[in-house]
Amino acid sequence: MVRTVHVLAVGATGPDPHKAGPAPATVAASEAPVKTRDMAARGFHRALTAHQAVPRVQHVSSGVTEAIERQNRAMRELRRRAFPETDVVADDAPAPIEKARFQRRHQAAATEAAALRRARAERAGRTVPELSHAPQAAGEVA
């Protein structure tokens, strides 16, 4: 963030950065007022009005327009081939991504439960049961 800007005269040397103290916390209020467009000369306002009155016309040849349309059609075709529309899933059937998410959550919950059982058994000083009864694949359900 810029807090101050020091404008030096032509040929003046700046302060030594090695001897510079900390940056001032605030800018003095007695500095020159900020010039705005409203404070500009009448000639500026006349020139600005004349500039804004000229309509902005964009000259594009018909060949360029046709090339843009061809390129857009080609890009749409490439997108259609790269990302084909998938079959519509019935409203009551879970989407494949939701099914996979459910299976991952179920597997994570089963793993967490097995880890908690093992930790409790170790704290109690009992022998630790094997985790062979836990589901191995994300698709298996206990």
Side-chain angles (χ1 to χ4, degrees):
M1 176 185 294
V2 177
R3 294 183 188 261
T4 60
V5 175
H6 297 282
V7 180
L8 302 175
V10 176
T13 59
D16 187 7
H18 299 291
K19 295 181 182 179
T26 60
V27 177
S30 63
E31 291 185 19
V34 176
K35 292 185 179 181
T36 63
R37 187 178 287 186
D38 298 331
M39 300 168 67
R42 285 181 301 199
F44 169 79
H45 287 289
R46 284 194 308 265
L48 181 62
T49 304
H51 173 72
Q52 291 172 341
V54 175
R56 295 180 187 179
V57 179
Q58 195 174 24
H59 300 285
V60 179
S61 69
S62 61
V64 171
T65 305
E66 291 170 5
I68 291 171
E69 287 302 318
R70 281 194 311 272
Q71 184 177 15
N72 287 340
R73 281 194 302 273
M75 293 302 289
R76 281 192 296 271
E77 178 62 23
L78 286 173
R79 183 180 62 218
R80 187 187 63 74
R81 277 193 252 153
F83 304 105
E85 292 292 325
T86 58
D87 294 335
V88 178
V89 178
D91 290 338
D92 57 344
I97 214 164
E98 292 173 0
K99 184 176 179 184
R101 188 178 298 148
F102 170 77
Q103 290 171 343
R104 282 193 308 271
R105 283 184 185 160
H106 182 74
Q107 176 65 31
T111 303
E112 183 182 12
L116 288 172
R117 282 194 302 273
R118 181 179 181 135
R120 287 183 192 127
E122 287 176 352
R123 268 188 263 133
R126 292 178 285 170
T127 59
V128 179
E130 289 297 320
L131 298 177
S132 61
H133 64 278
Q136 298 298 320
E140 294 181 22
V141 178

